[in-house]
Amino acid sequence: MSENELRIAVLGVGLIGAQHVDRITSRITGARVAVVNDYVTDKAEQVAAGLPGCRAVADPLDAIADPDVDAVVLATPGSTHEKQLLACLENRKPVLCEKPLTTDVETSLEIVRREAELGVKLIQVGFMRRFDPEYAQLKALLDGGELGAPLVMHCAHRNPAVPHGFGSEMVVRDSLVHEVDVTRFLLGEEIVSIQILTPAANPAAPEGLADPQIAILRTAGGRHVDVELFVTTGVAYEVRTEVVGELGSAMIGLDVGLVRKSAPGRWGGAITPSFKERFGQAFNTEVQTWVDAVRAGLADPATGTFIAGPGAWDGYAAAAVCEAGVQSLRSGAPAAVSMVARDSIEGA
Ligand code: ISE
């Protein structure tokens, strides 16, 4: 354990939180898990017992305020984020917050405002696709102008299955939210309207889950993005993005890893079973980049930033688009996205 390792509190050690604990402990450098917390206290204690120098703290707000904690990873349920993010701001603790920033637009905006008032960027939002090598390559291609101006984007977001209780609105708020961020990241503009279409449902989808769904997004510059969301395919974890520009097109997510030919006359490869495998490298890069940024920020607080990736504003923008998406899911009609102007919030 080195002297100036970043001491991180991981709040929430369920699926993604436990992966982050493992990542911080075994896959990245410069940080260690000092504190864990979970509303299932036994689980937190069990995780802490397996990590040298780690304690379980029962109250998430105590974990945030703990003097032995330099920074926080929030992997708790979205409904608890508002309070926990406010505590991070109050205690000036840099935080990597898994999406969503908060569960509604108003509280997300409040978080953006409170951080702007502090004049320091403490909140990074866990939109990990921005750190995926294929998305990074596509972004570089677009920024380099080799496709000309992007005009249209086609996306597919398929999951083999979803957890029990995953409803139609979750498809928008929990799944589509990634394409919302990818659209803003790749095209560099805000989304102004969204429509959700619900074609004939997959008979294998649980009762009441509208699956698949088609989302149609329009950006401020008039660009069109369509997304197929299909979260009960029973097949594998597939995420594909194609950008069509003035001078050509580019596609990522083709799962073209190893291609094997075998008897009798077979040709093929493997598809990732879940987001853990598909975006594992992206998560590692995201957390390493964040740790490096926080350490740099702590070494020189005058820079005013402890993030290196999507911030609170991006979390707010995603919440605003998803809110309009849910409205459209209910009405079937396109819905306008309502957002405040970014320059109305100093420092956002
Ligand atoms: C889940 O929360 C994720 O973030 C996955 O990346 C996404 O594919 C899935 O649909 C969500 O439920």
Side-chain angles (χ1 to χ4, degrees):
M1 216 179 282
S2 111
E3 268 286 294
N4 52 13
E5 269 177 335
L6 193 71
R7 297 163 304 171
I8 298 179
V10 177
L11 271 54
V13 288
L15 184 64
I16 185 71
Q19 288 176 22
H20 283 322
V21 167
D22 179 50
R23 186 174 342 276
I24 294 163
T25 308
S26 315
R27 295 181 212 292
I28 67 152
T29 58
R32 68 180 176 88
V33 180
V35 163
V36 286
N37 157 271
D38 198 283
Y39 72 96
V40 184
T41 46
D42 286 356
K43 202 196 274 173
E45 272 157 22
Q46 203 183 331
V47 172
L51 296 175
C54 179
R55 285 179 287 127
V57 171
D59 183 331
L61 302 185
D62 289 343
I64 292 167
D66 195 296
D68 292 333
V69 165
D70 302 312
V72 177
V73 169
L74 267 198
T76 44
S79 56
T80 62
H81 286 185
E82 181 194 1
K83 231 174 153 183
Q84 293 166 0
L85 286 169
L86 288 173
C88 289
L89 293 179
E90 203 173 300
N91 288 277
R92 299 215 170 212
K93 297 277 167 92
V95 52
L96 176 61
C97 173
E98 276 304 329
K99 49 94 184 162
L101 184 65
T102 69
T103 44
D104 62 80
V105 190
E106 293 70 31
T107 53
S108 287
L109 181 56
E110 182 57 19
I111 296 289
V112 173
R113 290 208 161 107
R114 297 284 281 272
E115 189 196 49
E117 277 163 20
L118 287 182
V120 54
K121 297 238 179 262
L122 289 167
I123 302 172
Q124 181 162 331
V125 181
F127 288 127
M128 77 300 186
R129 288 194 193 175
R130 295 189 186 208
F131 297 89
D132 173 66
E134 290 190 32
Y135 277 103
Q137 239 182 314
L138 184 55
K139 170 80 173 146
L141 191 69
L142 289 168
D143 288 354
E146 287 170 61
L147 294 185
L151 302 170
V152 170
M153 190 157 94
H154 304 292
C155 310
H157 184 152
R158 300 187 191 139
N159 292 174
V162 281
H164 179 71
F166 198 93
S168 303
E169 293 188 5
M170 299 270 292
V171 176
V172 175
R173 294 191 199 274
D174 209 51
S175 307
L176 176 64
V177 67
H178 284 295
E179 273 74 19
V180 167
D181 186 63
V182 157
T183 298
R184 299 182 59 256
F185 172 61
L186 291 177
L187 304 184
E189 50 185 13
E190 296 298 352
I191 295 161
V192 294
S193 79
I194 176 168
Q195 182 171 19
I196 306 286
L197 307 175
T198 52
N202 178 18
E207 180 76 27
L209 175 62
D211 187 51
Q213 297 182 18
I214 307 294
I216 298 168
L217 314 177
R218 200 176 168 81
T219 68
R223 297 189 168 89
H224 163 103
V225 178
D226 51 70
V227 186
E228 173 210 311
L229 295 138
F230 188 3
V231 296
T232 58
T233 64
V235 178
Y237 190 89
E238 299 170 75
V239 167
R240 202 160 59 225
T241 305
E242 180 182 25
V243 178
V244 186
E246 295 166 326
L247 305 177
S249 63
M251 193 189 283
I252 58 168
L254 291 173
D255 301 294
V256 194
L258 180 103
V259 175
R260 182 176 167 196
K261 295 178 180 176
S262 56
R266 286 181 183 273
W267 178 95
I271 324 179
T272 47
S274 79
F275 69 84
K276 183 180 175 194
E277 296 78 15
R278 171 64 183 85
F279 287 115
Q281 193 184 338
F283 278 117
N284 291 346
T285 309
E286 174 192 54
V287 177
Q288 182 70 73
T289 310
W290 173 71
V291 163
D292 294 346
V294 173
R295 292 178 82 196
L298 290 172
D300 183 6
T303 59
T305 188
F306 296 84
I307 71 171
W313 176 266
D314 300 292
Y316 160 67
V321 176
C322 291
E323 193 56 49
V326 167
Q327 262 176 46
S328 172
L329 177 69
R330 290 177 189 153
S331 70
V337 176
S338 167
M339 281 174 68
V340 300
R342 189 166 190 172
D343 57 14
S344 70
I345 303 174
E346 218 184 314

